[in-house]
Amino acid sequence: MDMLIGYARTSTLEQEAGLEAQLRDLNEIGCDKVFQEQVSSVAQRPELNRALEFLREGDVLYVTKLDRLARSMKHLGDIVDTIKGKGAYLKVLDNLGLDTTTATGELVLNVLGSVAQFERSMMLERQREGIAKAKAQGKYTGRQKTAQAKSKQVFELKAQGIKPNDIAKQLGISRASVYRIIKAGDE
């Protein structure tokens, strides 16, 4: 029996409404199983890996938008190759009903993937320009201070008796980061 598998992702815990909208859309089309996570596209994505492992021949993996699935054309190609290798298909709800079961769908996927990668490159370029401007004005705090602030928050929450899993959720960081911070503080 062919299954409809959904995958939903947002980058941060603050994007709860975006995740809920994706889940609603995936449930409306009748997905039998939905994998979801709130992680950056560049971080490890265990739920995406589980969704890909779960796929069987004839199944369809649904996502609401292409940028929820892949971070680059290479990454998209790898994911599509994995899906095809299992004899399954990809459908993207928000991109003209993109459907890789057809040759036209595969062409559109490649074009849209290229556009998405271009948009990400432009966003990163604007981000670099903004950081350079902030540095020139002496307003840039940088990652190190942000990391130091997170470390301080981890230890404050740990001192309150909050468990590492809950600390990670509350601060929007991975559980592994919480343990790494705690371990570094114990050394």
Side-chain angles (χ1 to χ4, degrees):
M1 180 175 153
D2 299 340
M3 292 185 70
L4 305 181
I5 312 301
Y7 174 70
R9 181 191 65 81
T10 57
S11 298
T12 65
L13 295 174
E14 289 80 33
Q15 296 174 322
E16 193 65 39
L19 185 64
E20 288 173 8
Q22 290 177 60
L23 294 172
R24 179 197 64 231
D25 293 348
L26 294 169
N27 286 320
E28 280 179 8
I29 61 161
C31 283
D32 300 299
K33 185 161 181 67
V34 177
F35 295 86
Q36 62 177 313
E37 56 194 343
Q38 292 179 289
V39 296
S40 166
S41 67
V42 296
Q44 291 294 317
R45 294 196 276 165
E47 291 302 304
L48 174 58
N49 293 334
R50 285 185 58 221
L52 294 172
E53 288 171 16
F54 188 82
L55 286 172
R56 301 294 177 256
E57 186 172 347
D59 289 351
V60 178
L61 177 66
Y62 277 94
V63 293
T64 58
K65 294 182 188 178
L66 207 50
D67 68 347
R68 302 295 85 203
L69 182 64
R71 64 181 162 264
S72 67
M73 272 306 293
K74 181 183 180 331
H75 188 227
L76 178 61
D78 292 344
I79 291 170
V80 170
D81 287 346
T82 299
I83 294 168
K84 280 183 181 178
K86 292 181 165 267
Y89 305 96
L90 171 66
K91 291 190 180 185
V92 184
L93 299 177
D94 198 31
N95 290 319
L96 312 171
L98 183 61
D99 178 353
T100 62
T101 62
T102 67
T104 302
E106 286 196 36
L107 171 65
V108 172
L109 174 71
N110 286 307
V111 170
L112 291 175
S114 296
V115 171
Q117 183 170 333
F118 171 75
E119 286 177 342
R120 176 148 175 78
S121 296
M122 294 301 294
M123 184 266 310
L124 292 172
E125 185 177 309
R126 287 190 301 274
Q127 181 182 31
R128 284 189 296 273
E129 290 170 357
I131 289 170
K133 182 178 177 184
K135 280 182 179 178
Q137 296 172 348
K139 297 179 181 178
Y140 182 72
T141 59
R143 276 186 98 110
Q144 188 173 10
K145 289 183 182 177
T146 303
Q148 289 169 348
K150 287 279 188 202
S151 293
K152 182 179 177 188
Q153 291 174 314
V154 166
F155 287 111
E156 288 171 355
L157 293 170
K158 182 181 178 219
Q160 295 172 22
I162 298 174
K163 294 184 173 140
N165 239 8
D166 296 326
I167 292 172
K169 287 179 184 174
Q170 194 169 335
L171 297 180
I173 60 177
S174 71
R175 191 177 73 196
S177 293
V178 172
Y179 283 113
R180 193 170 32 255
I181 290 167
I182 292 169
K183 182 180 178 188
D186 289 340
E187 292 176 348

